Amino acid sequence: MLRVQNSPRRRYREQVIGEIKQAALAQIDAGGPGALSLNAVAKTLGVSGPALYKYFRNRDELLTVLLLDAYDDVAGAVRETLEATADEPARHRLWALAAAFLGWAAAQPHRFALIAGTPLPGYEAPPESVGKARAVLGPFLTVLAQGRPAPVAGSLTGQLGEWAATTPAVADWVRTWAPDGDPALLLTTVLSVWSRLHGVVSLTVHGQFTGMGFDPAALLRAEMDAVADRLGLD
Amino acid sequence: MLRVQNSPRRRYREQVIGEIKQAALAQIDAGGPGALSLNAVAKTLGVSGPALYKYFRNRDELLTVLLLDAYDDVAGAVRETLEATADEPARHRLWALAAAFLGWAAAQPHRFALIAGTPLPGYEAPPESVGKARAVLGPFLTVLAQGRPAPVAGSLTGQLGEWAATTPAVADWVRTWAPDGDPALLLTTVLSVWSRLHGVVSLTVHGQFTGMGFDPAALLRAEMDAVADRLGLD
DNA sequence: GCACTTTGGTTAGAGGTTGTAACCATCGTA
DNA sequence: TACGATGGTTACAACCTCTAACCAAAGTGC
């Protein structure tokens, strides 16, 4: 009877970890990732500061867990949107995916800041975050493949084709989401989507568009329209 | 004989302020804006921590000064590029402006983080930073006006036209850099440029493109090409 | 059932931060 | 020359991250 994974003690530990994460997120919500204080989290839970080190090796590990959770969360939102729009024209799906991302980020700007590569002193995102970012962008590949991706002038498409040819994980990723697509062309386009998405979302949640009288969702839609036009998406 | 602005004491004060800023930038360089420690700056200068409060009201004020300096610096780089490319075709000018911005940010990623709206606990960028951001984008308006800016589908162009019509500072800004341009159309386009620029640069300096085998400058060029195509820029 | 191990908590404390108050020396001004 | 401004100091409050040592309770194996 192997009970290692299911005991009162195990359940207690999971519960406490959940409470720690919750309290930590509330703090990050109020002041950004840099405002995370293990002491303040501990006070919220009614334990001493050092008690938290029984659950997380250090502050960075807690940040890492929160970051990976955030990725999973937004990836889930995007994937659900892909599924929910299965019957819609590709252009609409692209809008919806982008809107889902923007909506997620606007609802939790500081979680977005966690995944956006925001510099934190001494902190470095873990290697796994690369795979998580691909999970977020995967659904976009599916939609982009419904158009006719084209190369761009310059060296970019060639460089990306090289990358796909020499990195099996990347080729697999593209194949998973767009089985019949050309990796170099799809990477070229998804990179464009990613940087535009990131640009609009980042400027939005960091308040840089404040006072400018326009709706960031309208800008994002226009940017996705420009992508769709290039692809010949209906 | 009014000597208030020019005395040994005044000059000493300016020198010390300069040294503080320099030491602060070195720290930010090493660990990002959040790593700024007034104590460590003081130690670098061989004075006590509280001595710095004679020059800056608090840490935020030092961050603000550094942020405004960074804006002036990058705005200068972009403006110089505009002037240096006066004889080139508009498309090349657009490339050059974007490349100047990327080059500046890549050379000092943490100064870029300062102006990019990176969340810092309790810190809020000052109102003047809006005008500074416009100084950075102004030269782009000049180049964009050499093409035929067009509206985009959706509400964006209308919203931006409304903003320009109700905000004299914005209308003045557009007129300063593109005297004969249509504000709504130019704002629509410069917003697109800004978000693409920000997207590529931000992902670049935050290391999110690391290991992907392509040159971010090639991506940025492709994005500016897409803008130029839309404008009919030579 | 008992002895040992593991887990989960505590306190004490080191070394760091930001910022204030009080004090003092020096310079500048009226 | 007296007073005010400037520029420095130390002491300290309140906060941070994290480690070490200790102890109580739960879990495990014989």
Side-chain angles (χ1 to χ4, degrees), chain A residues 77-165:
Chain A
V78 174
R79 200 185 54 247
E80 278 166 25
T81 302
L82 183 73
E83 286 155 14
T85 55
D87 299 331
E88 298 186 26
R91 184 180 292 248
H92 289 219
R93 294 183 93 185
L94 184 59
W95 290 340
L97 293 183
F101 189 89
L102 176 60
W104 182 90
Q108 38 229 330
H110 297 300
R111 280 179 98 196
F112 172 74
L114 268 178
I115 68 175
T118 305
L120 287 173
Y123 182 75
E124 194 171 306
E128 316 67 312
S129 56
V130 172
K132 301 284 188 180
R134 286 185 195 144
V136 177
L137 293 173
F140 286 92
L141 285 174
T142 301
V143 173
L144 299 177
Q146 292 176 251
R148 296 178 300 279
V152 293
S155 55
L156 185 62
T157 304
Q159 286 167 357
L160 292 171
E162 191 85 16
W163 182 48

Side-chain angles (χ1 to χ4, degrees), chain A residues 14-188:
Chain A
E14 297 298 336
Q15 174 190 313
V16 174
I17 287 177
E19 289 177 4
I20 294 172
K21 283 158 72 173
Q22 202 168 5
L25 278 178
Q27 259 192 68
I28 284 173
D29 225 30
L36 178 64
S37 152
L38 293 201
N39 263 0
V41 167
K43 182 175 290 188
T44 299
L45 301 192
V47 296
S48 71
L52 295 204
Y53 293 89
K54 302 293 184 183
Y55 298 89
F56 296 93
R57 203 161 8 108
N58 50 40
R59 183 169 175 272
D60 280 359
E61 188 173 291
L62 177 53
L63 281 168
T64 288
V65 170
L66 295 176
L67 174 148
L68 297 177
D69 283 353
Y71 264 123
D72 288 340
D73 206 23
V74 65
V78 174
R79 200 185 54 247
E80 278 166 25
T81 302
L82 183 73
E83 286 155 14
T85 55
D87 299 331
E88 298 186 26
R91 184 180 292 248
H92 289 219
R93 294 183 93 185
L94 184 59
W95 290 340
L97 293 183
F101 189 89
L102 176 60
W104 182 90
Q108 38 229 330
H110 297 300
R111 280 179 98 196
F112 172 74
L114 268 178
I115 68 175
T118 305
L120 287 173
Y123 182 75
E124 194 171 306
E128 316 67 312
S129 56
V130 172
K132 301 284 188 180
R134 286 185 195 144
V136 177
L137 293 173
F140 286 92
L141 285 174
T142 301
V143 173
L144 299 177
Q146 292 176 251
R148 296 178 300 279
V152 293
S155 55
L156 185 62
T157 304
Q159 286 167 357
L160 292 171
E162 191 85 16
W163 182 48
T166 57
T167 312
V170 173
D172 288 345
W173 170 56
V174 174
R175 198 180 306 118
T176 296
W177 293 97
D180 303 318
D182 177 277
L185 299 182
L186 280 171
L187 286 173
T188 302

